[in-house]
Structure formats: structure tokens, C-alpha cells
Amino acid sequence: MSEREVLELLRENARYSTADIARMTDLEEDEVEAAIEELEATGVVCGYQAVVDWDKLEDERVRAEVELNVRLDRETGYDDISQRLARFPQVKALRLVSGDYDFDMEVEGDSIREVSQFISEKVAPVPEITQTVTHYVMTSYKENGIELGDGEDDERLSFSP
Amino acid sequence: MTFELSDRVQTVPPSGIRRFFEIAEERDDVISLGVGEPDFATPWAARDAAITSLEQGKTSYTANRGRRDLREAIADYVADRFDLGYDPDEEIIVTAGASEAVDLAFRAFVDPGDTVAIAQPSYISYEPGVIFAGGEVLPVSTDEEDDFRLTVEGLEEAGADEADMLVLCYPNNPTGAIMPAEDLEPIAEFAREHDLMVLSDEIYAELTYDGEHTSIATFEGMRERTIVFNGFSKAHAMTGLRLGYALGPADAIAAMNKIHQYTMLSAPTTAQYAALEALDSCESDVREMVSQYDRRRQFVLSRFREIGMDVFEAKGAFYCFPEVPEGFTAEEFAEEVLREQGVAVVPGDVFGAGGDGHLRISYATGLEDLREALARIEAFVDDHA
């Protein structure tokens, strides 16, 4: 059960120190460490990354949401196609979804040209892929549950009863 | 001309926190643990409902006692959460914050010369409220050795058997103490035996971190002598919207409404729409905020123990109440830690009997700030060891 609590806190802020997590959960520090090790060993936690507001940086970062339609046959299933696509480092996320298209793919690159080329040269030619629709991200308002932009100041009085 | 102040106004001393404001103004890096309100914004669904109501031009007065649908929602909520049964037509009044409801009760039930026993340390408004109503205050002190729970011995020692009314606030501001059922039972018995009316301020009821909150009104023979106060300020993070309510027997609520209809007419309409939505759809927001407070509570308690300051295990509201180290009064500690380290805390004596020698620490502040504030307090304590 402690793993669940630790996981919740890591999802909130993966940079919480083990000491702080221990304080917040009333666990011992080594219990927290063991829980994190277990979460990593079992692959439940498979990485830690920063949540970035790209608008705050000078350098361009191009991101696109790509809808993919595929046609399956007896030899080829969703998993086969997903493996081919997921191995490209440009693909940041790949999900099989319900609805009008099959895969929802997030692609990232340094320029529109780079991303377009990747999709036209690496993705579209995959024989099972019948259609791609590329949506370039224009502005992001919220990422991983965190609202982007300038946070609001704490306007509360410093003392109140 | 000079205004001649009424005796009642003159009797009430100026707020003890006032001068700390001025010290806090001198620094621009102050982290405040002196705040008695949530750091969360009102859940978005409730704010959105308020905005929609404004767009639709819902800006007129409501019924004196509040919108009927809101009173129904409140009745369902308190029945579901706290096992309290009140009729939305006759036994519930919606007010401009629980504070207004408490004031209405003092004015409706206290006559000049009546004695009102107040379990202390407690929220600072009860005492002035009693005085404004012409009553006499009887402080009933609670102690750290009882985890700041009210005891029958404490009531007897203070002479509360002679009082007309007893005011309780659990989960408690400023101590963070709670009153579990087994501790409330003898208090209820005392109230029945000595025929005390009870005002029970349960504004922090949702913020109970150990077991479930129990209302004193649920005990045998207590409903008819108790007014329960609650509201949306704390659990739903709606302090600025000013919305609370009182629950009580029909004739008592009618008496309070008599004052309310002449002085307030009705609680803020926009806030009533927000509150209705809050009860309708914001339960998971409340659960999330409660779990955040609970983590911070454990964090802050752990840090005080590491620093070497004695602190009892607060289990409610969003406060803990550590003892000041030797060599300081609470006031001195609060003033010096603010001047030297830029951490704002409230000295416990502000909250009445039993509060001296302690500090009220609010953890209604993000973890980053809590971590930094505690590090500064640690540095302060080390510097003065």
C-alpha cells in the first residue's frame, strides 16, 4: 500500500526527496526507497521527465499530433505496427484509440520541415498505414496536469484569523 | 465632531495580529504560515457555475434563508456526511459565511448578563461576538496534555455549569485538535445536565485526518439544544465568496432569520450558485485538497520534531500548534522569527486561554514554501539555542 502512496507523490512531483516523501507519508526513509526501487524494478515507473513550457524558451520546438489509420491483415496486428513506429525517436507518444482513427501519435522535432519529412518519409510509406492527418500544436495550455503560463500570485493576507 | 464609541465596541481590544502585519510589510521575502484560509482556489466547477449565474443575470436577492435548492443540497450533504437530519424549509439558514451565522446566534440567544462559556484556544471572533451581544465570556481552557480536547474537568474548573451557553470549535482553529465521539459524549452529558445551549462551529469538519468527524448534535438530547455551523470557506476553498450556514431546531433558526432578514436580507446570490455546484459535483476536489493537507500536516509535524520543538499530533483543520522553545514567549518568538527569518506565524495567546507558549502554524501553503519556512525556523531555533 505504501507503494501506491509513494507513486501518487512521485506523479505529483518526481523531484520530491525521499526524506520529504517519508515525512509526508509517515513512512521511514528506507521504506520509501524500497517502494521506489520496487516501482522501478517492476516497470510501473518507467521514467522521470520534466514538464516543459516550450513557449518560455527561445528555440523552436515543433510538435504534432498525428492521426493514423491502418489496415490490418492476417499477419499484421496493431502491435506489429506500433512497434515499427514507436522505435523512431521522433515519436514521443503512441496510443491505440477508439473512434475515427486507430493510432494517436505525438511527434516532436526541431522544425516543421523535419517533422513533415519524418511523417511523409517514414510514417506514410508504412504499407499498413492508409491515412495520416497531422495537426501541428500551436499553443499548449496544460501539460501533464500542469497549467502553463504565468502562475497567479498568492493574494491572501499574510495573517488571517 | 468626535464619535462617542459604544461601551461594547470599546470593551473589545484591537486585534492582536495587527502589529505583525506592519512588521511583515517591511520584508518582501516573507513566507506566511499565518494564513487562516486555503491556498487552493475554489474548485473550477463551482467558479464556473458562479460565472454562468452572472451571465444569466442571476443577481437578485434570494429567499432570506437562501435558495431552496441549496438548502436541500445542504440537508442531503450533512445527512450523508455527518449523520445530521435537518429540514431544509425550517431548520437551515444560509448566511454570509459561517461567521455571520455565529453572530446571529449570539444576538438571537444571548441576553445582557448571560454567560457564554468558550472552549479555548479558539477562533478569535467568538469572544467579541459575545461582547457585542452584551453577554459575558467565560473562557474554558484546554490543555496540551489532553491534546487540546475539551474535558468535563475543564468545564467544571471554569465554572461552566453556571453558564447559559457553550461554544465549541472542533476540528479546532488554532490547535488542530479534534473531538472524537468518545470525548464528545461526556461534554454532551454535561450540557444536558446543566441545561447549556451549545453552539458548535464545525467549519473544519471535512478536514479531519483521523477517523470521521462527529457532531455533538448527533448525541441523545443534543439536537434540540445545539446550533451547528458549517460552510464552504474551508473544505471548498471559498473564503472570499462568503457562504456558510447554520442548522438548528425550527424556532431557533427562525429567531436567527429574524435578525438576518433585517441586517443581511440574503447571503450573496453568486456564492449560493457556486455552493450548489460545490455540493453537486466537487466532492473529488474536496477529497484531493484534504489529502494534500494531510500530507503537509505530516510533513510539518515531522519537521517540528526534527527541529526539536514539541508539537502534539494535530488531526484536524489545517493548523498545528507547536510549543515555543524555552527562553521565548509566543509573542517574542513570532515577532523575532518574522524579523530575522521572514516567517509569519501567529502567537497562540491571541486565541485565548491555554494558547500561551504556543504558535499557530497554518499548513494551508504549498509544500515548497512549507519546506523553506521550516528550514528558516530551524535556522532561527539553532541561532538562539
Side-chain angles (χ1 to χ4, degrees), chain B residues 47-349:
Chain B
R47 280 185 277 160
D48 195 36
I51 293 166
T52 305
S53 77
L54 288 171
E55 282 173 347
Q56 293 172 344
K58 307 256 170 88
T59 51
S60 48
Y61 296 129
T62 69
N64 293 134
R65 291 165 186 238
R67 288 180 56 86
R68 160 86 207 196
D69 51 4
L70 176 57
R71 278 180 281 136
E72 271 172 30
I74 290 169
D76 291 344
Y77 164 77
V78 297
D80 179 49
R81 290 288 296 141
F82 309 119
D83 208 15
L84 293 166
Y86 288 91
D87 171 23
D89 284 322
E90 303 217 305
E91 299 181 317
I92 298 176
I93 182 171
V94 177
T95 53
S99 295
E100 192 218 347
V102 172
D103 178 52
L104 291 177
F106 287 141
R107 287 196 280 161
F109 309 117
V110 175
D111 273 321
D114 280 358
T115 301
V116 179
I118 303 177
Q120 292 184 342
S122 69
Y123 180 55
I124 60 172
S125 296
Y126 308 134
E127 209 165 311
V130 171
I131 295 168
F132 292 145
E136 312 272 341
V137 171
L138 179 72
V140 180
S141 156
T142 60
D143 296 314
E144 176 147 19
E145 60 190 55
D146 302 317
D147 283 358
F148 289 104
R149 289 171 187 177
L150 180 62
T151 61
V152 168
E153 295 73 54
L155 286 165
E156 280 168 351
E157 220 167 273
D161 50 331
E162 299 289 324
D164 301 285
M165 179 186 272
L166 172 63
V167 181
L168 304 175
C169 171
Y170 294 96
N172 182 261
N173 174 8
T175 64
I178 57 171
M179 286 286 279
E182 65 267 26
D183 297 299
L184 270 179
E185 172 90 71
I187 306 300
E189 196 184 318
F190 183 91
R192 286 192 303 264
E193 190 184 331
H194 301 288
D195 197 24
L196 299 180
M197 178 174 183
V198 175
L199 302 192
S200 184
D201 183 350
E202 302 178 16
I203 189 77
Y204 291 100
E206 285 280 5
L207 310 187
T208 299
Y209 310 108
D210 185 25
E212 290 287 317
H213 171 76
T214 304
S215 173
I216 194 165
T218 57
F219 290 90
E220 180 78 37
M222 290 307 294
R223 191 183 187 282
E224 60 258 40
R225 61 175 66 249
T226 304
I227 309 287
V228 175
F229 304 94
N230 206 329
F232 297 87
S233 291
K234 312 299 176 174
H236 296 89
M238 280 177 45
T239 43
L241 286 159
R242 312 304 307 127
L243 209 74
Y245 52 88
L247 315 168
D251 50 349
I253 295 299
M256 289 165 65
N257 187 42
K258 196 169 184 179
I259 304 171
H260 173 77
Q261 70 187 350
Y262 289 119
T263 53
M264 184 62 68
L265 271 99
S266 59
T269 301
T270 311
Q272 292 191 45
Y273 281 98
L276 186 58
E277 184 64 29
L279 291 180
D280 215 33
S281 77
C282 299
E283 199 190 332
S284 64
D285 300 74
V286 174
R287 298 276 76 79
E288 174 58 25
M289 288 189 275
V290 171
S291 101
Q292 293 278 352
Y293 289 136
D294 192 20
R295 286 178 196 158
R296 297 168 181 182
R297 176 183 74 94
Q298 301 194 73
F299 176 83
V300 170
L301 290 172
S302 302
R303 288 294 284 123
F304 274 115
R305 291 188 190 116
E306 288 164 18
I307 291 168
M309 285 170 71
D310 284 331
V311 60
F312 96 99
E313 174 103 19
K315 289 177 176 168
F318 36 59
Y319 309 105
C320 67
F321 209 56
E323 267 180 60
V324 292
E326 264 180 58
F328 291 99
T329 64
E331 187 125 337
E332 285 163 359
F333 188 98
E335 181 169 343
E336 285 174 40
V337 80
L338 178 55
R339 280 192 202 284
E340 290 179 27
Q341 296 285 349
V343 179
V345 300
V346 183
D349 24 334

Side-chain angles (χ1 to χ4, degrees), chain A residues 101-115:
Chain A
Y101 52 94
D102 300 303
F103 286 104
D104 176 18
M105 182 170 78
E106 279 176 42
V107 180
E108 225 177 272
D110 291 333
S111 65
I112 289 193
R113 189 186 149 83
E114 186 195 315
V115 172

Side-chain angles (χ1 to χ4, degrees), chain B residues 23-46:
Chain B
I23 307 171
E25 292 286 293
E26 291 164 21
R27 298 180 63 123
D28 58 1
D29 65 340
V30 171
I31 299 178
S32 183
L33 308 182
V35 186
E37 61 176 323
D39 56 315
F40 300 104
T42 307
W44 172 247

Side-chain angles (χ1 to χ4, degrees), chain B residues 347-361:
Chain B
D349 24 334
V350 167
F351 303 95
D356 55 331
H358 290 79
L359 304 168
R360 188 190 73 172
I361 301 293

Side-chain angles (χ1 to χ4, degrees), chain A residues 1-126:
Chain A
M1 212 48 233
S2 60
E3 271 166 37
R4 195 70 212 203
E5 249 183 305
V6 171
L7 179 62
E8 223 176 281
L9 283 162
L10 289 175
R11 274 175 49 87
E12 186 175 288
N13 182 349
R15 292 204 62 192
Y16 281 144
S17 67
T18 46
D20 280 351
I21 294 175
R23 290 179 181 117
M24 283 187 271
T25 52
D26 216 16
L27 294 168
E28 296 300 322
E29 257 190 87
D30 49 7
E31 291 176 291
V32 173
E33 261 160 46
I36 294 175
E37 268 168 40
E38 181 67 14
L39 286 165
E40 290 174 353
T42 52
V44 173
V45 170
C46 38
Y48 305 92
Q49 293 180 334
V51 180
V52 176
D53 183 352
W54 290 102
D55 290 347
K56 292 261 165 55
L57 284 172
E58 290 297 313
D59 28 335
E60 199 186 12
R61 196 72 195 152
V62 173
R63 293 188 298 159
E65 304 280 336
V66 187
E67 300 171 7
L68 301 177
N69 272 303
V70 300
R71 185 183 298 119
L72 304 180
D73 57 41
R74 250 174 245 150
E75 282 82 41
T76 324
Y78 286 123
D79 287 350
D80 303 301
I81 303 167
S82 75
Q83 280 188 19
R84 279 189 81 163
L85 294 169
R87 291 198 172 117
F88 288 109
Q90 291 92 331
V91 174
K92 295 301 167 191
L94 182 66
R95 304 174 182 104
L96 182 66
V97 295
S98 62
D100 289 342
Y101 52 94
D102 300 303
F103 286 104
D104 176 18
M105 182 170 78
E106 279 176 42
V107 180
E108 225 177 272
D110 291 333
S111 65
I112 289 193
R113 189 186 149 83
E114 186 195 315
V115 172
S116 302
Q117 252 176 7
F118 170 69
I119 291 163
S120 59
E121 290 170 16
K122 306 290 185 205
V123 179
V126 173

